[in-house]
Amino acid sequence: MQLSTTTSEKLRRKMKMKGLEVELWLSEHGLPNTMKAGIMDNVHRVLEENKNGHVEILTALPPEYLSRVTRCLCLATLRKVPKLKEIKGLDELKEICEYFKPVIYPKDNFIIREGEPLEMILLVTQGIVRTYTTSTGVKNKPSTPKSIKKGDFYGEELINWASKYPPPTELPISDKNVRSIARVEAFALTAEDLKNHVIPKYFRWQLSKGIDLKNLTDSQMLQLKQFAAKTIQTAFRHARK
């Protein structure tokens, strides 16, 4: 009984501290306090399931809450991405937010290495990321480090890569190291989700540029027809919705 009481008291203290952390987190991100109750319920649930573990707020949220939080945290940053400025509709940008998934990196962690495939677009919502090149990197010369902070992004060139036809088989190479200077909360859009979902649905106008039908092989022409059919089906479902 004494052990049970001690364990329950520790859990209560942990939940109280987590409640203060959630309040601070909501305040730092400018999220409405109306979201606090639902977030706390889910954080408490995860704490009860994993009494001795550390609980991250973002990873504790179920899909319906995570979807709301993702839109709140990512929408303003998406509007800064030059390649997305031609998407005027707010609803379309909110839908693109749904493809971004939360990622958390500890301090002093390599997120992307120079010379390796660029696999995602990263939107930073908390913490500091630094980008820099080295003398042995892709450009063969060092560069001045640049800080990516809350509200900034990295990896916009993936949009150009994913917009090409025929669809590229190899990812572009990062010309910079991307490293967390402090603990980082961010949202990532993978190259595969960008190429297979976001580009076909929201960048149909861009895909039609620069395709020379006369020079396509039979295999490429078949791919194009299949891609066109998929794009039309996606657009039809979106219109019905």
Side-chain angles (χ1 to χ4, degrees):
M1 287 180 64
Q2 186 177 2
L3 178 61
S4 178
T5 301
T6 302
T7 303
S8 297
E9 182 59 30
K10 285 183 179 179
L11 182 58
R12 281 195 292 271
R13 287 200 299 267
K14 184 177 286 189
M15 286 186 174
K16 183 177 180 180
M17 292 300 296
K18 204 66 182 180
L20 296 175
E21 181 183 333
V22 169
E23 287 184 4
L24 178 61
W25 188 81
L26 289 170
S27 175
E28 288 176 343
H29 290 298
L31 298 175
N33 282 328
T34 52
M35 300 179 71
K36 179 185 174 182
I39 291 175
M40 282 305 306
D41 286 345
N42 287 287
V43 169
H44 284 176
R45 173 182 53 79
V46 175
L47 273 174
E48 289 174 349
E49 294 172 355
N50 188 19
K51 295 180 175 62
N52 297 320
H54 176 69
V55 176
E56 295 285 358
I57 296 172
L58 285 175
T59 57
L61 301 180
E64 62 272 18
Y65 268 93
L66 183 59
S67 179
R68 291 179 60 194
V69 169
T70 302
R71 290 196 299 269
C72 289
L73 298 184
C74 294
L75 190 58
T77 304
L78 277 184
R79 287 172 165 168
K80 296 180 183 179
V81 180
K83 294 292 183 182
L84 299 181
K85 286 184 177 179
E86 296 194 38
I87 297 179
K88 304 298 184 181
L90 180 61
D91 290 340
E92 283 78 5
L93 285 175
K94 285 182 177 179
E95 289 177 4
I96 292 176
C97 287
E98 301 293 329
Y99 292 99
F100 281 85
K101 308 303 179 188
V103 287
I104 298 171
Y105 301 100
K107 179 181 178 181
D108 197 26
N109 183 80
F110 274 104
I111 301 172
I112 303 168
R113 289 184 182 271
E114 181 182 7
E116 293 186 355
L118 181 60
E119 298 179 331
M120 63 183 173
I121 297 176
L122 191 72
L123 307 184
V124 176
T125 56
Q126 192 173 59
I128 302 174
V129 169
R130 184 160 294 162
T131 66
Y132 60 96
T133 60
T134 63
S135 57
T136 58
V138 175
K139 293 185 177 180
N140 203 30
K141 61 180 181 179
S143 68
T144 303
K146 177 183 176 183
S147 293
I148 299 178
K149 301 179 181 179
K150 177 181 177 180
D152 294 333
F153 59 91
Y154 180 80
E156 180 199 356
E157 56 266 39
L158 267 182
I159 297 178
N160 283 335
W161 166 83
S163 301
K164 294 178 180 178
Y165 192 87
T169 56
E170 295 185 358
L171 291 168
I173 300 301
S174 176
D175 61 359
K176 294 181 179 64
N177 290 301
V178 182
R179 190 171 187 169
S180 58
I181 302 304
R183 177 185 175 277
V184 169
E185 284 185 7
F187 286 81
L189 173 63
T190 66
E192 287 303 305
D193 278 343
L194 178 65
K195 183 174 74 170
N196 296 329
H197 300 292
V198 175
I199 291 295
K201 189 171 183 180
Y202 302 102
F203 287 82
R204 291 183 294 274
W205 57 271
Q206 191 167 341
L207 290 168
S208 64
K209 297 180 179 180
I211 298 178
D212 187 352
L213 298 179
K214 294 180 180 179
N215 292 328
L216 293 183
T217 64
D218 291 342
S219 175
Q220 290 174 341
M221 181 63 77
L222 178 60
Q223 283 184 317
L224 180 58
K225 290 178 179 179
Q226 291 172 340
F227 188 80
K230 181 179 178 181
T231 300
I232 293 170
Q233 291 170 356
T234 300
F236 180 69
R237 287 195 296 269
H238 179 59
R240 290 188 63 186
K241 181 180 178 182

